[in-house]
């Protein structure tokens, strides 16, 4: 069975509007391209006047991995949302003052095309292009997220795509966690994900209408010294990864239950 990667990037007057990708079988190519074009044309940030669609047959070996388990945490406001982030960072073994610095850093550097790669020991950024950051590509759910999107509307595109991305990122040696909130003004949810605690979806990380968003990957070189920063970035940008087609919701929690 041959698989194809489709990548879409839409912009308006040279400003980025939407970017998304799929990995699909040949028989699903047209349906997937249609869905991606629809995304570029109907985005809350505007209607793209330039759409780039790239399709390539995947010839290399593909890695199949299990999705991170999902915990949903309902919070009342963004402040509680960031307290959840801090709580998880501390559980991951990061000292409180460092967790605060990581969160401040994360809030300051937003609206990039990619993610920051932050060394949690030195608090220095590791990617060479600081304006763009690292862009993770070549990941999708098995049978493509098309299935999730058409089967069950509770799985919106943001959530499914972020879960695929976070699962790939968490499978990279030396990355202990990821924090993200969307730059879509209509989408207030975000997450902190890790191999250890799975994907923790937080209902509010910003107020409705705000267009700031960002992503940060937390890197700990002491975990696996045989894997270099270059290997890590290469894995995130180039390795073809398919997430096994099973979204597992582990639990739904409210803020107080989660934080105690
Ligand atoms: P989104 O959830 O698509 O709204 O993206 C939120 C933030 O994550 C963006 O502002 C980017 O900084 C970053 N980002 C988006 N897509 C990627 C990607 N494929 N790889 C790494 N970072 C990304």
């Amino acid at each position: 069975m041959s698989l194809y990667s489709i990548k879409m990037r839409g912009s308006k007057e040279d400003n980025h509007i939407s970017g998304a990708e799929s990995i699909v079988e040949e028989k699903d190519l047209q349906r997937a391209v249609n869905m991606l074009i629809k995304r570029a044309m109907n985005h809350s940030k505007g209607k793209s006047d330039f759409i780039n669609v790239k399709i390539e047959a995947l010839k290399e070996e593909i890695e199949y991995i299990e999705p991170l388990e999902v915990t949903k945490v309902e919070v009342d406001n963004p402040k509680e949302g960031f307290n959840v982030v801090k709580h998880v960072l501390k559980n991951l073994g990061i000292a409180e003052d460092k967790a605060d610095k990581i969160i401040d850093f994360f809030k300051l550097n937003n609206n990039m095309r990619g993610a920051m790669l932050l060394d949690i020991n030195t608090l220095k950024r590791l990617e060479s292009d600081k304006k763009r950051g690292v862009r993770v590509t070549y990941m999708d759910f098995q049978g493509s997220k098309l299935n999730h999107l058409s089967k069950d509307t509770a799985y919106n595109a943001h959530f499914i795509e972020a879960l695929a991305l976070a699962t790939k990122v968490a499978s990279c040696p030396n990355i202990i966690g990821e924090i993200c909130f969307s730059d879509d003004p209509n989408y207030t949810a975000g997450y902190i994900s890790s191999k250890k605690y799975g994907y923790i979806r937080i209902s509010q990380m910003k107020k409705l209408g705000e267009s700031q968003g960002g992503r940060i990957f937390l890197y700990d070189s002491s975990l696996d010294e045989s894997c270099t920063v270059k290997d890590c970035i290469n894995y995130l940008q180039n390795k073809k990864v398919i997430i096994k087609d099973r979204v597992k919701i582990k639990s739904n929690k409210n803020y107080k239950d989660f934080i105690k």
Side-chain angles (χ1 to χ4, degrees), residues 73-76 80 84 253-260:
V73 186
E74 203 53 45
V75 297
D76 280 341
E80 285 187 358
V84 170
K253 297 210 161 156
N254 63 37
Y255 174 66
K256 283 200 181 118
D257 285 342
F258 188 84
I259 218 88
K260 72 180 173 205

Side-chain angles (χ1 to χ4, degrees), residues 175-211:
I175 293 199
I176 66 153
E178 173 187 348
I179 315 169
C180 170
F181 67 137
S182 175
D183 48 27
D184 182 338
N186 289 336
Y187 195 71
T188 61
Y191 64 86
I192 174 162
S193 57
S194 59
K195 283 186 252 307
K196 210 165 172 187
Y197 298 109
Y199 181 101
I200 296 170
R201 181 183 188 275
I202 302 163
S203 61
Q204 285 185 59
M205 300 245 316
K206 67 176 189 186
K207 294 202 179 101
L208 204 62
E210 288 177 354
S211 57

Side-chain angles (χ1 to χ4, degrees), residues 110-115 134-137 139 158 165 180-184 213-215 217:
N110 52 49
N111 294 94
M112 295 159 49
R113 279 201 59 224
V134 179
R135 269 195 74 83
V136 188
T137 58
M139 66 275 158
H158 274 295
L165 188 151
C180 170
F181 67 137
S182 175
D183 48 27
D184 182 338
R215 218 174 214 117
F217 304 146

Side-chain angles (χ1 to χ4, degrees), residues 13 103 129:
E13 288 156 13
I103 290 171
D129 185 342

Side-chain angles (χ1 to χ4, degrees), residues 9-122:
R9 196 159 44 85
S11 58
K12 184 181 179 184
E13 288 156 13
D14 284 338
N15 293 314
H16 176 73
I17 293 285
S18 169
E21 68 170 89
S22 289
I23 297 178
V24 294
E25 290 176 38
E26 191 175 339
K27 69 176 173 49
D28 290 325
L29 259 177
Q30 280 196 352
R31 189 159 70 106
V33 170
N34 281 345
M35 270 178 95
L36 292 174
I37 292 175
K38 229 183 189 172
R39 289 270 294 278
M41 301 299 283
N42 298 298
H43 199 278
S44 54
K45 278 160 70 183
K47 182 173 175 172
S48 300
D49 59 19
F50 175 86
I51 305 173
N52 184 310
V53 177
K54 179 175 159 189
I55 302 176
E56 56 185 312
L58 299 184
K59 297 192 176 115
E60 298 156 43
E61 196 195 327
I62 295 170
E63 190 177 326
Y64 286 79
I65 55 179
E66 291 286 333
L68 293 175
E69 283 191 341
V70 179
T71 299
K72 292 186 173 182
V73 186
E74 203 53 45
V75 297
D76 280 341
N77 51 57
K79 187 167 181 284
E80 285 187 358
F82 276 97
N83 285 344
V84 170
V85 170
K86 185 169 166 182
H87 183 76
V88 179
L89 288 176
K90 286 193 334 198
N91 285 345
L92 284 168
I94 296 173
E96 180 154 3
D97 60 332
K98 207 171 244 185
D100 284 332
K101 282 187 190 146
I102 291 172
I103 290 171
D104 288 347
F105 200 77
F106 176 61
K107 284 180 177 167
L108 273 179
N109 293 279
N110 52 49
N111 294 94
M112 295 159 49
R113 279 201 59 224
M116 290 178 275
L117 184 63
L118 187 77
D119 185 323
I120 59 151
N121 300 304
T122 60

